[in-house]
Amino acid sequence: MSKKGFLGGKNSNAYIVFYSTVMVVLVAVMLAFTSLSLKSKQDANVLNEKKDAIVASLGLEKGSYDKFIEAYVVNAEGEVVSTDAAATLQKLFDLPTNFAAGEFPVFENKENGEVVVPLTGKGLWDDIWGYIALEADMNTIKGAIFDHAGETPGLGAEIATAKYQAQFPKKQIYNNGEFVGVEVVKGGAKEGDIHAVDAVTGGTKTSDGLEKMIKDCLSCYDAFFKARTAAAEAPVVESTEIAE
Amino acid sequence: MKNKTFQSLTNPLAKNNPILVQILGICSALAVTTQLKPALVMGLSVTAVCAFSNLVLSLLRNGIPDRIRIIVQLVVIAALVTIVNDVLKAYVYDVSKQLSVYVGLIITNCIIMGRVEAFALSNKPLPSLLDGIGNGLGYGAVLVIIGFFRELLGSGTLFGYQVIPECFYEAGYVNNGLMLFPPSALIIVGIIIWVHRSMNKDLQEK
């Protein structure tokens, strides 16, 4: 069949509408197929990235998640409510909702009782998130990893650099047993202040968001941290078993 | 004829290189070349998109209504780029994070549409495919050269492996921080164009 005559020729309106409709439907089917067939692999990559971020905050090497980490969920009272490791990881994909529902994921290093808790918050433009690892005293920060969706490169986005995150180890989130979080100080934290770090120059809003995120998210775990500390101080032999 | 078809593959590699001679696609050349690996992946992605968009649009060329020609081109190119982006996310996740928006921006890379408009719409599928591969590789080759120098001089590594020995640093050698910033890519492109033109006398303007 020659193109001429079909729907009134190549440049007729009918042909153009027909052509674009067919094209768009074909392309949509093709893209949907690609997206669906690669989805599981992509999700696995994202999950691996989260696992690597968790072990990175503990200073462990990439890929060692399965070897070291025990994941469980606690509630606002600090009681363990679920020990399903896979389900705990899945909670990271919608952290704000789970936090609001009172479900707080914890990732514990089986070897030495250090724990990693996830953080979620808002920067200037978009979401920011991260992980803070605490030493077994549930007070001293072992390491911190932050990331962001769309902070300004060179300014707010600096929170995702190793150099910025290097300020966090050895800081303490409790002051004489009272929760204080980590203060992010514009103009620079005082030398030797163990509860404060420097803000990002030119990234005030991101820094504010970071401070709020650390305070809000860590305070959700307050009861859990206190229970852990109390358990560690009690003269009984510490058990790695999780109490019901 | 056979010779001419073959030339559509080889020409863009040197004599008619998209970056060096046509000065197309400079923006992404600045953005993704701080390291060799993303530069290589970007080069391959552009090659794939350029080759297939040329092929598909050359096959369709007699049926495309003139009035929506550009829209059809954009739909085909955008679909291909989306597929490439999905594949990168599935198989080379870390590189895809580094390339971030620049994969999506392949859609707007002047090389792709330039080749479709200038070549594929008026040529048979096979030469169009070769032209697409040639231009993609020509672009990729320049990216890899820039990426090589920027990573070597800026970080002292190649593909992430340390190549400048520790004793150099102990003797006072420091990495050139400028190489990590976009202006260094412009300087390197400039130098490559200079060398390229002095080797190809016929490219020099009188």
Side-chain angles (χ1 to χ4, degrees):
Chain A
M1 175 174 52
S2 84
K3 287 279 184 266
K4 234 181 203 137
F6 175 60
L7 292 172
K10 202 169 98 174
N11 286 310
S12 72
N13 288 344
Y15 179 73
I16 289 177
V17 171
F18 174 76
Y19 191 96
S20 21
T21 311
V22 171
M23 176 180 72
V24 167
V25 170
L26 278 180
V27 168
V29 169
M30 204 166 69
L31 289 183
F33 176 76
T34 326
S35 170
L36 280 179
S37 47
L38 294 174
K39 184 104 181 51
S40 61
K41 230 176 156 75
Q42 292 172 355
D43 287 350
N45 285 333
V46 176
L47 193 63
N48 265 332
E49 190 193 19
K50 291 187 187 301
K51 286 179 173 179
D52 282 341
I54 290 169
V55 289
S57 69
L58 284 166
L60 302 169
E61 64 189 70
K62 274 186 178 182
S64 56
Y65 177 91
D66 294 319
K67 193 169 149 205
F68 289 111
I69 304 295
E70 184 170 49
Y72 50 89
V73 179
V74 300
N75 62 13
E77 283 74 48
E79 294 153 350
V80 176
V81 289
S82 158
T83 53
D84 185 338
T88 307
L89 265 173
Q90 286 303 322
K91 295 215 181 296
L92 294 178
F93 284 90
D94 194 6
L95 213 44
T97 314
N98 289 310
F99 270 29
E103 295 187 314
F104 309 109
V106 178
F107 302 90
E108 182 175 340
N109 184 342
K110 283 182 268 192
E111 308 263 289
N112 53 19
E114 293 164 349
V115 302
V116 180
V117 296
L119 313 170
T120 175
K122 292 273 176 209
L124 170 58
W125 305 114
D126 208 334
D127 293 342
I128 55 175
W129 62 90
Y131 302 90
I132 281 194
L134 294 177
E135 288 179 11
D137 65 359
M138 297 298 123
N139 181 13
T140 313
I141 293 178
K142 166 113 184 193
I145 299 283
F146 305 113
D147 210 343
H148 63 95
E151 299 308 298
T152 319
L155 300 176
E158 291 293 299
I159 60 164
T161 58
K163 195 176 157 209
Y164 185 77
Q165 292 159 8
Q167 297 186 79
F168 283 83
K170 299 277 170 264
K171 301 288 175 190
Q172 297 190 347
I173 58 168
Y174 283 95
N175 187 4
N176 290 327
E178 189 195 343
F179 179 78
V180 287
V182 178
E183 204 182 340
V184 181
V185 184
K186 200 179 167 188
K190 276 200 212 84
E191 189 97 4
D193 188 343
I194 53 166
H195 303 297
V197 295
D198 298 348
V200 183
T201 310
T204 307
K205 285 285 169 196
T206 310
S207 303
D208 290 351
L210 183 69
E211 179 178 292
K212 187 171 181 309
M213 169 172 89
I214 295 173
K215 215 158 247 165
D216 289 355
C217 296
L218 285 182
S219 63
C220 295
Y221 291 90
D222 186 37
F224 170 73
F225 293 152
K226 285 198 169 128
R228 282 289 294 252
T229 322
E233 279 165 1
V236 290
V237 182
E238 198 187 334
S239 156
T240 49
E241 287 293 313
I242 292 158
E244 282 301 319
Chain B
M1 185 61 206
K2 201 150 200 166
N3 199 20
K4 215 177 139 204
T5 310
F6 188 61
Q7 270 180 5
S8 53
L9 174 67
T10 54
N11 242 348
L13 288 178
K15 269 284 166 59
N16 197 17
N17 187 287
I19 295 189
L20 301 182
V21 182
Q22 306 173 40
I23 321 287
L24 295 175
I26 293 285
C27 1
S28 50
L30 306 187
V32 300
T33 49
T34 37
Q35 286 168 351
L36 203 44
K37 199 173 165 195
L40 185 68
V41 174
M42 184 70 176
L44 292 175
S45 308
V46 170
T47 307
V49 174
C50 201
F52 286 109
S53 64
N54 263 11
L55 176 68
V56 171
L57 286 160
S58 174
L59 286 167
L60 295 175
R61 71 187 188 284
N62 293 325
I64 300 175
D66 296 336
R67 275 189 283 162
I68 56 164
R69 188 181 82 240
I70 302 283
I71 299 173
V72 174
Q73 291 171 13
L74 270 180
V75 170
V76 171
I77 294 168
L80 287 169
V81 169
T82 311
I83 293 173
V84 166
N85 199 8
D86 270 343
V87 170
L88 292 184
K89 267 193 204 149
Y91 293 100
V92 275
Y93 185 72
D94 53 328
V95 180
S96 119
K97 274 206 86 177
Q98 268 178 303
L99 292 173
S100 66
V101 297
Y102 293 100
V103 177
L105 286 178
I106 294 177
I107 298 171
T108 59
N109 192 319
C110 353
I111 296 172
I112 315 264
M113 262 192 121
R115 292 326 293 170
V116 168
E117 274 284 293
F119 198 91
L121 288 185
S122 50
N123 282 283
K124 290 216 174 78
L126 181 63
S128 299
L129 175 68
L130 293 177
D131 180 82
I133 297 175
N135 274 284
L137 290 180
Y139 168 87
V142 176
L143 245 59
V144 166
I145 297 173
I146 304 172
F148 173 83
F149 285 112
R150 287 182 75 183
E151 188 174 348
L152 182 67
L153 301 175
S155 317
T157 58
L158 285 178
F159 285 113
Y161 296 104
Q162 194 69 37
V163 285
I164 294 183
E166 205 52 51
C167 56
F168 275 48
Y169 291 101
E170 279 157 19
Y173 174 84
V174 276
N175 289 327
N176 186 343
L178 174 67
M179 284 294 153
L180 300 176
F181 291 102
S184 67
L186 270 188
I187 296 170
I188 297 173
V189 172
I191 294 173
I192 300 173
I193 293 178
W194 182 13
V195 172
H196 186 247
R197 292 210 166 195
S198 50
M199 283 175 5
N200 296 282
K201 296 273 187 251
D202 49 329
L203 287 175
Q204 295 170 9
E205 291 89 357
K206 288 272 152 30

